[in-house]
């Protein structure tokens, strides 16, 4: 297929493996190790995880495959894609909404990524070395104090946020392929090993049984309509879907990539990593008498504790936060790529200018989120502070609306043959039955489920 702009030849990933790792690099990030555990903690454990998994299977994967279809078929950014596919210009709204969503996510994501960078620095400085010698209760108090001081400082969180944004800008400026492929391929497995190590150690702590019970408890009394909406939002957030990120990635996919299988692999690995993070965190919560529902500090309040129980824990703690910083950075890179590709490809802006503009917007507005519980954090809109507001609107409203539009577009406005052809790599993959099933779910299950969850959460529909 030819490009709209003949002067820009679009690069592609070098291999199927590179596609998988890059996509996983976008999916795996703070959503897995920070947001998933803290939402599971707030929403009462296993039952929430089950609702989350249903959302991944019936909404997340069909939307991911649809984004892959649009991205690779059009091989351009999420706005021009609809011109390329000869769709009505109404559908460009998916691209515009995606740009807005990615900006909203980056506003708070950069702030949390900044905390992770700061924790890497603190671990290297040895701020957590004395935990090992503290009695259990005091160790718990020590880490919560450290977190409060870290996030409520005036200049420091802002500075770290700025560093995050600068690094991401440089990676984007240096080019998608070089920047993302190299980093993710080599370092992701190391982070995985460290998370597994944490989980193993955590599972041998006294509170392991309680932690596991919590993770697998099926108490459905906590599952309210708004909890279902947040499980749905988490599925969108974790899989990086509903905002054009996966569409943008897919525009660089190789022609022979098996996209439905890629989506399944990514969803499974992403869920696996989140569960491992849960197994590493909740036993610590119960061993050290912390609160499972303590919120966004959960990761930062537990991980230093589990490493205090491992030989060479300090070095490993620094390595953990360093690698988590990388995961956060690669995930954020994929968000940043959305506005940049639109600005350069649709508005013909120079890459440098587009990067500066995007970075500038996040820096200026993002400052509002670095003080979640102090200074500007006191300002609330709809009883949410800026941090929670950007988080809520992006994950629970914008992404599901984007997902709904994507599902309707691919399910109802793309010719069946065209869809099946692209997803089966022009018939080279023998998966006709699965593709039919996928299209059925996409048409009749995904959109209906999305609408029901929405109406239910705003109280217009009582289940
Ligand atoms: N999926 C990423 C994570 O889990 C976050 C993300 C959201 C990345 C949206 C890109 C787009 O951290």
């Amino acid at each position: 297929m030819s490009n709209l702009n003949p002067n820009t030849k679009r690069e592609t990933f070098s291999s199927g493996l590179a596609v998988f790792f890059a996509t996983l690099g976008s999916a795996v990030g703070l959503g897995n190790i920070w947001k998933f555990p803290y939402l599971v903690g707030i929403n009462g454990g296993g039952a929430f995880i089950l609702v989350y998994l249903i959302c991944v299977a019936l909404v997340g994967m069909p939307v991911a495959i649809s984004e892959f279809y649009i991205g690779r078929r059009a091989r351009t950014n999420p706005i021009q894609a609809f011109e390329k596919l000869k769709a009505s210009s109404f559908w460009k709204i998916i691209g515009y909404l995606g740009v807005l969503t990615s900006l909203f996510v980056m506003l708070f994501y950069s702030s949390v990524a900044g905390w992770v960078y700061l924790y890497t620095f603190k671990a290297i400085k040895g701020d957590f070395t004395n935990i090992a010698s503290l009695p259990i209760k005091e160790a718990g108090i020590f880490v919560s104090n450290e977190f409060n001081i870290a996030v409520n400082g005036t200049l420091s969180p802002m500075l770290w946020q700025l560093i995050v944004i600068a690094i991401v800008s440089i990676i984007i400026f240096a080019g998608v392929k070089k920047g993302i492929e190299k980093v993710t391929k080599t370092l992701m497995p190391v982070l995985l090993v460290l998370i597994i190590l944490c989980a193993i150690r955590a599972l041998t702590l006294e509170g392991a049984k309680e932690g596991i019970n919590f993770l697998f408890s099926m108490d459905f009394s906590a599952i309210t309509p708004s909890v279902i909406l947040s499980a749905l939002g988490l599925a969108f957030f974790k899989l990086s879907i509903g905002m054009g990120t996966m569409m943008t990635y897919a525009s660089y996919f190789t022609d022979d990539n098996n996209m439905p299988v890629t989506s399944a692999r990514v969803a499974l690995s992403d869920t696996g990593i989140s569960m491992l993070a849960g197994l590493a965190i909740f036993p610590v919560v119960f061993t050290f008498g912390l609160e499972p529902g303590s919120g966004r500090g959960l990761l930062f309040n537990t991980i230093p504790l589990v490493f205090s129980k491992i030989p060479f824990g300090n070095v490993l703690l620094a390595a953990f936060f360093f690698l988590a910083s990388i995961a956060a950075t690669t995930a954020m890179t994929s968000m940043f790529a959305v506005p940049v590709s639109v600005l350069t490809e649709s508005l013909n802006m120079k890459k440098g200018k587009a990067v500066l503009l995007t970075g500038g917007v996040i820096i200026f507005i993002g400052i509002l989120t670095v003080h979640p519980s102090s200074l500007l954090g006191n300002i609330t809109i709809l009883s949410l502070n800026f941090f929670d507001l950007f988080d809520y609107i992006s994950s629970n409203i914008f992404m599901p609306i984007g997902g709904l539009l994507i599902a309707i577009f691919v399910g109802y406005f793309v010719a069946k043959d065209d869809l099946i052809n692209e997803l089966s790599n022009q018939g080279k993959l023998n998966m006709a039955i699965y593709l039919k099933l996928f299209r059925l779910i996409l048409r009749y299950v995904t959109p209906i489920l999305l609408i029901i969850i929405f109406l239910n959460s705003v109280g217009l529909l009582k289940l």
Side-chain angles (χ1 to χ4, degrees), residues 26-32 105 109 236-241 243 245 270 331-332 334-335 399:
S26 163
V28 174
L30 297 174
N32 302 63
V105 174
Y109 205 88
F236 274 92
F237 183 82
K238 286 215 330 59
L239 296 178
S240 318
I241 52 174
M243 51 176 268
T245 313
D270 182 75
M332 193 164 142
S334 68
M335 296 174 219
M399 289 188 201

Side-chain angles (χ1 to χ4, degrees), residues 40-310:
V40 170
I42 286 182
N43 295 310
F48 175 82
I49 299 182
L50 186 67
V51 176
Y52 166 78
L53 292 177
I54 295 173
C55 292
V56 169
L58 295 179
V59 178
M61 279 181 43
V63 171
I65 296 173
S66 304
E67 284 202 34
F68 287 170
Y69 162 79
I70 301 173
R72 193 176 69 179
R73 184 88 176 85
R75 292 220 179 274
T76 179
N77 67 62
I79 291 175
Q80 283 186 345
F82 297 94
E83 271 166 40
K84 270 275 198 64
L85 299 180
K86 308 219 166 29
S88 126
S89 53
F90 164 79
W91 296 106
K92 284 188 186 173
I93 192 174
I94 294 175
Y96 290 115
L97 183 66
V99 172
L100 195 66
T101 312
S102 63
L103 287 174
F104 268 57
V105 174
M106 283 189 285
L107 294 176
F108 73 91
Y109 205 88
S110 54
S111 168
V112 184
W115 304 342
V116 178
Y117 279 33
L118 169 61
Y119 264 61
T120 311
F121 181 64
K122 282 167 73 62
I124 292 173
K125 257 189 4 191
D127 284 4
F128 302 103
T129 32
N130 61 337
I131 296 181
S133 59
L134 293 176
I136 283 209
K137 199 140 183 265
E138 265 130 68
I141 296 172
F142 175 82
V143 280
S144 340
N145 281 344
E146 285 287 310
F147 179 70
N148 287 335
I149 296 168
V151 300
N152 293 333
T154 318
L155 271 181
S156 146
M158 259 189 235
L159 184 74
W160 288 105
Q161 185 187 33
L162 194 74
I163 296 174
V164 171
I165 298 169
I167 291 180
V168 171
S169 305
I170 293 168
I171 293 177
I172 290 283
F173 191 71
V176 171
K177 220 176 149 194
K178 269 181 277 157
I180 304 172
E181 243 180 70
K182 261 193 212 149
V183 180
T184 43
K185 241 200 282 187
T186 38
L187 291 172
M188 290 268 282
V190 188
L191 177 61
L192 187 62
V193 169
L194 279 177
I195 298 177
I196 293 174
L197 183 71
C198 271
I200 293 175
R201 183 60 187 100
L203 289 173
T204 50
L205 291 170
E206 302 90 82
K209 204 159 163 252
E210 264 179 286
I212 294 174
N213 283 346
F214 182 78
L215 266 180
F216 294 98
S217 63
M218 288 295 149
D219 171 14
F220 285 94
S221 62
I223 305 300
T224 60
S226 72
V227 170
I228 297 178
L229 182 66
S230 87
L232 178 78
L234 181 64
F236 274 92
F237 183 82
K238 286 215 330 59
L239 296 178
S240 318
I241 52 174
M243 51 176 268
T245 313
M246 284 302 168
M247 223 182 270
T248 308
Y249 266 51
S251 71
Y252 302 102
F253 278 10
T254 49
D255 286 322
D256 61 354
N257 187 260
N258 185 337
M259 299 196 289
V261 167
T262 298
S263 92
R265 279 199 193 132
V266 169
L268 273 176
S269 323
D270 182 75
T271 305
I273 295 174
S274 309
M275 286 305 286
L276 281 172
L279 287 173
I281 285 175
F282 286 102
V284 181
V285 167
F286 291 98
T287 306
F288 287 84
L290 309 174
E291 210 9 83
S294 63
R296 25 176 134 83
L298 192 64
L299 169 77
F300 303 92
N301 290 340
T302 48
I303 292 296
L305 294 176
V306 69
F307 278 113
S308 74
K309 300 268 180 200
I310 298 177

Side-chain angles (χ1 to χ4, degrees), residues 1-67:
M1 188 180 285
S2 65
N3 241 310
L4 265 194
N5 180 350
N7 299 325
T8 53
K9 191 176 172 308
R10 211 170 175 78
E11 30 181 2
T12 61
F13 287 113
S14 55
S15 68
L17 198 64
V19 164
F20 171 65
F21 273 114
T23 319
L24 197 63
S26 163
V28 174
L30 297 174
N32 302 63
I33 55 173
W34 166 74
K35 199 172 188 187
F36 177 85
Y38 108 68
L39 284 184
V40 170
I42 286 182
N43 295 310
F48 175 82
I49 299 182
L50 186 67
V51 176
Y52 166 78
L53 292 177
I54 295 173
C55 292
V56 169
L58 295 179
V59 178
M61 279 181 43
V63 171
I65 296 173
S66 304
E67 284 202 34

